[in-house]
Amino acid sequence: MSVETTTASEVMTRTLVTVEPEESPLMAWELMWRAGVHHLPVVDACCRLVGVLGREDVAAHWSGGPAEQSQAVVRTLVQGRRCPRVAPDAPLSEVAALMVDADCGAVPVLGPDDVLRGLVTTTDVLMALAGRTARPAGDPADVKGGLFHLEPVPPVTCP
């Protein structure tokens, strides 16, 4: 595979952990930590992309403690921010240029139906440049949005 002819669909991460817009930054941070990822696509109930939340976004917003973070919503962290998107057949050079111009570490890949197909991260771009892309193009249906379901544990009160 030549870097000049490589497309977004050939390098994108397909198995994604997603977060809903009304979820808390505290939960988003926990999801990132547990999944070992740096970016979470924020998708609404209809699976439409709202934005991409990065670890830096959560860290920059962090003030107060966990109680304050559990009251906020991630929608406010991605609202009004530029979130470039690409088609699966976008050349890798175009994806990299968008990442540089928008100063972002991940670009969502959307199909013609505006459904999230994957995410191209800086790591994906670097692996492609290093000739280490081993991701098969596969079926677009192999994108799996994963969401860890975490239940808060209420504080124990002693009688």
Side-chain angles (χ1 to χ4, degrees):
M1 172 182 350
S2 165
V3 175
E4 291 81 25
T5 60
T6 302
T7 63
S9 66
E10 294 172 302
V11 300
M12 69 186 182
T13 299
R14 296 174 186 282
T15 304
L16 304 173
V17 178
T18 61
V19 66
E20 295 177 357
E22 304 310 314
E23 197 55 77
S24 72
L26 181 63
M27 180 62 76
W29 186 263
E30 182 75 12
L31 289 172
M32 287 182 204
W33 181 78
R34 286 182 183 248
V37 298
H38 296 239
H39 302 92
L40 293 177
V42 180
V43 293
D44 65 16
C46 298
C47 296
R48 287 185 305 252
L49 183 72
V50 175
V52 176
L53 183 69
R55 282 188 179 180
E56 297 82 14
D57 302 322
V58 178
H61 174 266
W62 201 272
S63 64
E68 290 84 1
Q69 292 306 309
S70 65
Q71 300 303 315
V73 294
V74 297
R75 177 185 305 278
T76 61
L77 300 180
V78 296
Q79 227 166 15
R81 284 192 20 230
R82 184 172 172 214
C83 181
R85 302 145 192 233
V86 296
D89 61 350
L92 186 58
S93 59
E94 177 185 321
V95 177
L98 280 172
M99 294 171 99
V100 170
D101 293 344
D103 191 27
C104 63
V107 174
V109 179
L110 303 181
D113 50 3
D114 283 339
V115 172
L116 183 64
R117 303 285 182 185
L119 196 66
V120 177
T121 66
T122 52
T123 300
D124 297 327
V125 173
L126 289 172
M127 286 181 64
L129 289 174
R132 296 190 180 168
T133 56
R135 296 188 176 135
D139 178 11
D142 66 355
V143 173
K144 297 169 184 67
L147 179 63
F148 294 87
H149 185 73
L150 304 175
E151 290 293 328
V153 178
V156 178
T157 56
C158 298

